[in-house]
Amino acid sequence: MAINVEEILQTKIEKSKHHLKEELTTVRAGKANAALVDRVMVDYYGSPTPLKSLANISVPDPRTLMISPFDPKSIPEIEKGINKADIGITPANDGKVIRLTIPQVTEERRKELNKTVKKMGEETKVAIRNLRREANDELKKEEKNGELTEDDLKGEMEEVQKIIDKAVKDVDAMIADKEKEIMEV
């Protein structure tokens, strides 16, 4: 029965790490990255539509994002969507494509971004620790119901701790990678 608790824990941890990974892609590190516009929604014929459904997004050079709309008539709406998303970059269009030039990130801004990234990491680690508590509570419930012995409970809780330790280490590695990316000039 305890195996089920560990499987559920692993699944929830993977979801937390995946969420962190998605959050980290939205942090602008001074390099062009298509994920920067992942959350941009465009009012396309009256319905909010993700930008990536309306255009091809490419990175022609390290500091430029190029958005090639499938329908050139949608360029004004795409520009509005980018401005509304408040990603801190003003779009420039030539009638066929929209270019986003990523500004150079100042040292001060890099430090700010690192603080943001660390905060995201801490929030994820807190969520993972909460998952540990949930898993341990479930195991204690199983012991109380006679499904686990006291020795089994201790072993299972140690196993849960190992899973949590590995997840925290993974989160730390993700944060360190992002901080390194931000600090690269």
Side-chain angles (χ1 to χ4, degrees):
M1 192 72 170
I3 283 124
N4 191 21
V5 170
E6 288 169 15
E7 285 174 10
I8 292 169
L9 176 63
Q10 284 285 21
T11 303
K12 288 180 178 178
I13 286 172
E14 286 309 311
K15 282 182 184 173
S16 292
K17 290 191 324 192
H18 180 73
H19 177 74
L20 174 63
K21 194 175 186 178
E22 284 185 350
E23 287 288 307
L24 290 176
T25 61
T26 65
V27 176
R28 190 163 46 97
K31 287 186 192 156
N33 181 347
L36 190 60
V37 292
D38 272 357
R39 294 188 178 166
V40 173
M41 297 300 277
V42 177
D43 186 25
Y44 189 64
Y45 291 106
S47 64
T49 309
L51 174 59
K52 56 187 171 187
S53 300
L54 300 174
N56 189 15
I57 302 162
S58 59
V59 183
D61 67 67
R63 303 267 312 276
T64 308
L65 268 182
M66 191 161 68
I67 301 165
S68 309
F70 304 130
D71 174 8
K73 291 181 188 124
S74 65
I75 286 179
E77 294 304 319
I78 290 174
E79 279 187 302
K80 282 182 196 166
I82 292 168
N83 287 328
K84 195 174 176 185
D86 194 28
I87 57 175
I89 303 168
T90 306
N93 92 65
D94 64 7
K96 292 186 177 96
V97 296
I98 297 172
R99 284 186 176 77
L100 298 177
T101 304
I102 313 299
Q104 189 69 34
V105 182
T106 65
E107 188 67 29
E108 191 177 308
R109 180 71 178 132
R110 288 177 201 276
K111 288 177 181 170
E112 246 177 69
L113 290 171
N114 272 343
K115 283 181 186 173
T116 302
V117 166
K118 279 184 175 136
K119 185 174 179 240
M120 289 174 177
E122 271 313 306
E123 288 169 357
T124 302
K125 289 194 278 190
V126 166
I128 287 171
R129 290 185 194 111
N130 287 338
L131 294 174
R132 172 184 55 202
R133 191 187 67 241
E134 287 174 22
N136 285 343
D137 288 349
E138 188 60 36
L139 290 169
K140 287 174 187 169
K141 202 183 297 176
E142 287 181 16
E143 186 220 12
K144 192 175 180 184
N145 294 340
E147 297 169 36
L148 283 176
T149 65
E150 198 174 315
D151 288 344
D152 287 343
L153 174 67
K154 188 172 187 250
E156 293 298 332
M157 288 176 85
E158 285 173 7
E159 195 56 40
V160 164
Q161 186 58 48
K162 284 180 191 170
I163 292 168
I164 296 299
D165 290 344
K166 183 190 178 312
V168 167
K169 202 178 281 185
D170 291 347
V171 167
D172 286 339
M174 290 166 71
I175 297 304
D177 288 348
K178 189 63 177 186
E179 286 178 331
K180 186 178 166 207
E181 179 188 328
I182 290 169
M183 293 314 281
E184 286 173 2
V185 178

